[in-house]
Amino acid sequence: MATALLPSTHPFPLRFSPTPSPKLRQFSSLPLPPKPLFAKSNPNRSLKTVVRAESLQSLVSGAVNIVQSNPPTWQSALLTNLLIFVVGSPILASGLSVSGIASAFLLGTLTWRAFGPSGFLLVATYFVIGTAATKVKMAQKEAQGVAEKRQGRRGLGSVIGSSAAGCVCALLMINNIGGEAFRQLWRLGFVASFCTKLSDTVSSEIGKAYGRITYLVTTFRIVPRGTEGAVSLEGTFAGLLAASVLAFVGCLLGDATASGAIVCVIASQIANLGESIIGAVLQEKEGFQWLNNDVVNVINISIGSILAISMQQLILGH
């Protein structure tokens, strides 16, 4: 065996052998430890991931098919309305109380079931414009004591008062009352009811904010802002403009013809004049304590809706 010696001056000479010792060979021949579990591939886990992805894709596809149901069903109306309310919850919370949101959800579901996306978009446009008008100069209106309660956030009574006539038209549409010949009339009445209410809301809120001269509609006597039955030139013009905008939206969405949109605007202004007269003569008077704003709103929008349907039938002969 070849050896290599250190210099002889070293007291304990050491020898190095290029061939490993038997013990070292025995140690190197031991099996390596197993790999960690996390390093191993898990075919079952991969299969579960694929199954879950396919299930999710199937669920989304099924939801899309439900939303796109034509004609709309109760299932599609409920699901679509739920999705929209979740996405738009910040906007809804700014204009509605908790009870208002709950009632608006029912209104939205009923509207989608009766008129589909076009009716829903019309109501959404009404809500956005009406809420924006209510927020105009809110601090000034609160200081003057003429602002809506809860900083303009509408509750259950307000939502019902704003949508009662529209809901009736929706139910008539769903139950196909009058057959195909009356379906366009129910659409027209639906559009007219929200044109009437939006015109009333905008004229009132803009009149409180910018009206320079406010007078009682029955006597033309100058009265303070916020008086029941009071109108102003600024508010009246703003209300007319708001009704025209919403009627135009209804025309674009196919819920009203061009002539029907004009009818809705005219009917809304007549109804609002009647609402102002009721407010000046009866509201807050002895024996009429039950005639609050919500009840007057129901009367107002009902007049607007009935007038539009009657004008379409009698005057235009459609």
Side-chain angles (χ1 to χ4, degrees), residues 212-229:
R212 289 175 293 180
I213 301 176
T214 308
Y215 56 90
L216 207 60
V217 69
T218 51
T219 63
F220 296 98
R221 178 170 56 88
I222 297 176
V223 292
R225 294 175 182 177
T227 303
E228 295 296 342

Side-chain angles (χ1 to χ4, degrees), residues 19-34:
T19 304
S21 66
K23 289 185 178 181
L24 182 61
R25 285 199 303 268
Q26 183 182 3
F27 178 79
S28 61
S29 64
L30 291 176
L32 295 174

Side-chain angles (χ1 to χ4, degrees), residues 6-304:
L6 289 175
S8 58
T9 55
H10 195 282
F12 303 100
L14 297 177
R15 296 180 179 181
F16 296 93
S17 173
T19 304
S21 66
K23 289 185 178 181
L24 182 61
R25 285 199 303 268
Q26 183 182 3
F27 178 79
S28 61
S29 64
L30 291 176
L32 295 174
K35 294 182 180 180
L37 291 177
F38 60 80
K40 292 184 178 180
S41 60
N42 190 341
N44 292 333
R45 179 177 298 178
S46 301
L47 181 61
K48 289 181 180 179
T49 302
V50 172
V51 171
R52 287 175 182 173
E54 290 179 350
S55 300
L56 180 61
Q57 183 179 2
S58 176
L59 182 62
V60 172
S61 177
V64 171
N65 291 333
I66 291 174
V67 169
Q68 293 178 341
S69 298
N70 189 21
T73 63
W74 284 113
Q75 190 178 15
S76 68
L78 186 62
L79 178 59
T80 306
N81 197 36
L82 180 62
L83 292 175
I84 293 174
F85 264 62
V86 170
V87 174
S89 56
I91 299 175
L92 292 169
S94 68
L96 296 170
S97 65
V98 175
S99 61
I101 292 175
S103 54
F105 181 82
L106 296 177
L107 169 63
T109 302
L110 181 63
T111 298
W112 192 285
R113 173 64 179 84
F115 304 109
S118 61
F120 193 94
L121 287 174
L122 183 84
V123 176
T125 304
Y126 153 79
F127 175 77
V128 171
I129 297 176
T131 301
T134 303
K135 301 294 184 180
V136 171
K137 290 194 173 183
M138 177 60 73
Q140 171 187 306
K141 288 185 283 192
E142 286 179 337
Q144 295 173 348
V146 296
E148 292 289 331
K149 298 177 181 178
R150 300 182 297 271
Q151 292 188 330
R153 295 169 69 237
R154 312 285 177 166
L156 173 64
S158 181
V159 173
I160 293 175
S162 303
S163 63
C167 288
V168 171
C169 290
L171 290 172
L172 292 171
M173 185 79 168
I174 292 171
N175 292 283
N176 200 28
I177 303 300
E180 189 65 29
F182 280 79
R183 293 179 69 83
Q184 193 59 34
L185 285 179
W186 306 145
R187 285 186 178 274
L188 183 70
F190 180 81
V191 175
S193 69
F194 284 99
C195 285
T196 301
K197 182 53 192 158
L198 181 63
S199 179
D200 174 47
T201 298
V202 172
S203 62
S204 176
E205 296 299 332
I206 298 302
K208 293 174 185 177
Y210 296 104
R212 289 175 293 180
I213 301 176
T214 308
Y215 56 90
L216 207 60
V217 69
T218 51
T219 63
F220 296 98
R221 178 170 56 88
I222 297 176
V223 292
R225 294 175 182 177
T227 303
E228 295 296 342
V231 297
S232 67
L233 182 62
E234 296 83 359
T236 301
F237 177 76
L240 175 61
L241 179 62
S244 301
V245 169
L246 194 61
F248 178 69
V249 171
C251 185
L252 288 179
L253 294 172
D255 287 320
T257 61
S259 60
I262 296 174
V263 165
C264 287
V265 175
I266 296 173
S268 69
Q269 300 312 295
I270 297 174
N272 283 337
L273 177 61
E275 188 260 355
S276 296
I277 294 173
I278 292 174
V281 175
L282 301 176
Q283 197 169 356
E284 297 182 352
K285 301 298 188 295
E286 186 177 354
F288 292 92
Q289 286 79 6
W290 56 271
L291 198 63
N292 56 28
N293 284 335
D294 296 334
V295 175
V296 173
N297 285 336
V298 172
I299 296 172
N300 183 30
I301 61 176
S302 298
I303 291 174

